[in-house]
Amino acid sequence: DVQLQASGGGLVQAGGSLRLSCTSSGFTFGNKRVAWFRQAPGKEREGVSCTANTAGTTYYADSVKGRFIISTDNAKNTVYLQMNSLKPEDTAVYYCAAAGLQWARRCGVDPRLYNYWGQGTLVTVSS
């Protein structure tokens, strides 16, 4: 069965950086849509970023634009979320997700688009 593994979370001070990773031994990320979501306590699940690697298109939520970068290393079959200039409001459980459909030209952050999910990794940003 396909399983994704998210890792890289932890405790970081405001203004710091952190890189999250998402891997899978049973799923190939190349030419598919991948995304990162997050959920803070008491808040709705939020789409953070996504990419459609076939077209090279990306999306970033306004709250993270200019600070976060999504990327995929197909050789390592790993999806990254580089998070810079972290703020306390970035504190959340972060989930990676992937869609099985290949050759998509655009991505979106509707969670119903994504078939496979990681179990989440907690990011805590202290002030």
Side-chain angles (χ1 to χ4, degrees), residues 35-39 44-50 59-65 68 81 93-95 108-111 114 117:
W36 288 92
F37 295 82
R38 68 184 182 186
Q39 187 165 20
E44 298 290 332
R45 180 171 48 188
E46 176 188 18
V48 177
S49 181
C50 66
Y59 163 85
Y60 297 95
D62 288 342
S63 59
V64 307
K65 193 174 299 181
F68 290 12
L81 184 67
V93 177
Y94 285 72
Y95 301 90
V109 290
D110 183 343
Y114 297 92
W117 292 79

Side-chain angles (χ1 to χ4, degrees), residues 29-104:
F29 293 117
N31 298 318
K32 300 186 180 71
R33 290 173 290 179
V34 295
W36 288 92
F37 295 82
R38 68 184 182 186
Q39 187 165 20
K43 295 185 177 180
E44 298 290 332
R45 180 171 48 188
E46 176 188 18
V48 177
S49 181
C50 66
T51 183
N53 287 319
T54 299
T57 55
T58 58
Y59 163 85
Y60 297 95
D62 288 342
S63 59
V64 307
K65 193 174 299 181
R67 299 188 297 119
F68 290 12
I69 301 172
I70 188 170
S71 63
T72 302
D73 186 332
N74 290 326
K76 296 181 178 179
N77 199 38
T78 301
V79 181
Y80 301 102
L81 184 67
Q82 178 67 46
M83 305 184 295
N84 301 315
S85 301
L86 283 162
K87 304 174 180 179
E89 50 263 45
D90 295 318
T91 296
V93 177
Y94 285 72
Y95 301 90
C96 62
L101 178 66
Q102 200 173 21
W103 310 115

